[in-house]
Amino acid sequence: MRIIGITGGVGAGKTEVMTYIGQHYDAAVIKADEVGYLLMEPGRECYAPIVRLFGRQITDESGNLNRKRIAELIFRDQEKLRQMNQIVHPAVKAYVRRAIAEEEKAGTSYVFIEAALLIEDHYDEICDELWYIYADERVRRDRLRRGRNYSDDRIDSIMENQLSEEEFSEHCDFEVDNSGAFEETIKQIARRMSKYE
């Protein structure tokens, strides 16, 4: 079984790439963000520590975490962000390791893991290789404005907090240019995947 990590800047099209791979290859697809949300549900391992960190003010009437409220709080407080990451990221990584073990037992050929902080959280310790999904900044900004209704300020703020193109390139084994037509992206994926068959 081959374990491949996928990363890239916001708006690069990682989700589109992951969806395509999940549909066209014998691959399990794990998205670290979705795992994080799952582990923040009441009764799961991250829920109580996060409530202790922020207080009951961050839960709604049903007792669920108000992720929008948390985002507002950590946006203004780097220390709280660091503490939250210390709760969530190790738990996500442990979940991913368990999921990989399950897929290995099931005989799955590939596991693809997408994480925004793939490099920073040292997923290279888990993965056989890392892929960088790249798109021109202009293309990414356009996608975020049209697809997510993000303001230029919000886009600037997110991009400033992500690794540079050079840093992504330096840490990854393979780059997929997803700036143009998706058919071109598919060809790049197919060429890479043919190496493993």
Side-chain angles (χ1 to χ4, degrees):
M1 186 172 77
R2 192 160 196 87
I3 304 161
I4 297 170
I6 298 253
T7 193
V10 65
K14 297 183 293 296
T15 300
E16 191 178 20
V17 167
M18 292 286 275
T19 301
Y20 175 82
I21 287 167
Q23 290 169 348
H24 293 86
Y25 294 92
D26 176 28
V29 167
I30 303 170
K31 296 180 181 177
D33 278 358
E34 289 177 7
V35 172
Y37 298 147
L38 176 73
L39 299 181
M40 286 184 221
E41 289 177 0
R44 300 300 296 256
E45 44 267 58
C46 296
Y47 179 82
I50 290 172
V51 172
R52 278 197 298 276
L53 177 63
F54 292 101
R56 281 272 160 210
Q57 60 169 0
I58 50 115
T59 59
D60 61 21
E61 315 78 56
S62 318
N64 294 311
L65 295 177
N66 181 336
R67 293 206 310 262
K68 190 170 183 238
R69 179 81 184 110
I70 293 171
E72 287 165 4
L73 291 168
I74 60 179
F75 184 72
R76 294 193 301 264
D77 187 336
Q78 285 299 307
E79 179 55 24
K80 282 275 195 283
L81 172 62
R82 189 188 65 75
Q83 290 174 305
M84 170 118 173
N85 286 343
Q86 281 183 331
I87 293 166
V88 177
H89 293 181
V92 168
K93 215 168 182 183
Y95 179 100
V96 168
R97 284 183 192 275
R98 290 193 300 271
I100 289 168
E102 289 298 317
E103 294 301 337
E104 196 153 23
K105 263 191 249 165
T108 307
S109 302
Y110 304 98
V111 174
F112 278 80
I113 304 162
E114 184 217 323
L117 300 177
L118 194 86
I119 293 163
E120 299 90 323
D121 279 348
H122 304 289
Y123 273 83
D124 55 334
E125 297 164 357
I126 294 175
C127 299
D128 296 309
E129 64 180 68
L130 305 183
W131 290 12
Y132 170 34
I133 310 303
Y134 166 83
D136 294 332
E137 186 178 323
R138 182 184 50 76
V139 171
R140 290 165 55 206
R141 285 179 175 277
D142 189 49
R143 284 176 185 161
L144 293 168
R145 276 193 293 263
R146 285 186 300 122
R148 299 192 202 172
N149 289 322
Y150 283 6
S151 67
D152 287 334
D153 284 348
R154 182 160 187 200
I155 295 168
D156 289 343
S157 152
I158 295 169
M159 287 186 171
E160 279 164 20
N161 286 306
Q162 294 191 323
L163 297 178
S164 67
E165 288 173 16
E166 293 74 23
E167 288 170 307
F168 277 123
S169 269
E170 188 186 314
H171 288 93
C172 292
D173 306 286
F174 177 60
E175 290 184 29
V176 177
D177 187 344
N178 193 31
S179 304
F182 196 63
E183 290 69 33
E184 292 307 311
T185 301
I186 289 169
K187 287 178 194 168
Q188 295 170 66
I189 294 167
R191 277 196 298 273
R192 184 66 173 192
M193 294 298 279
S194 69
K195 289 178 183 285
Y196 312 134
E197 287 163 4

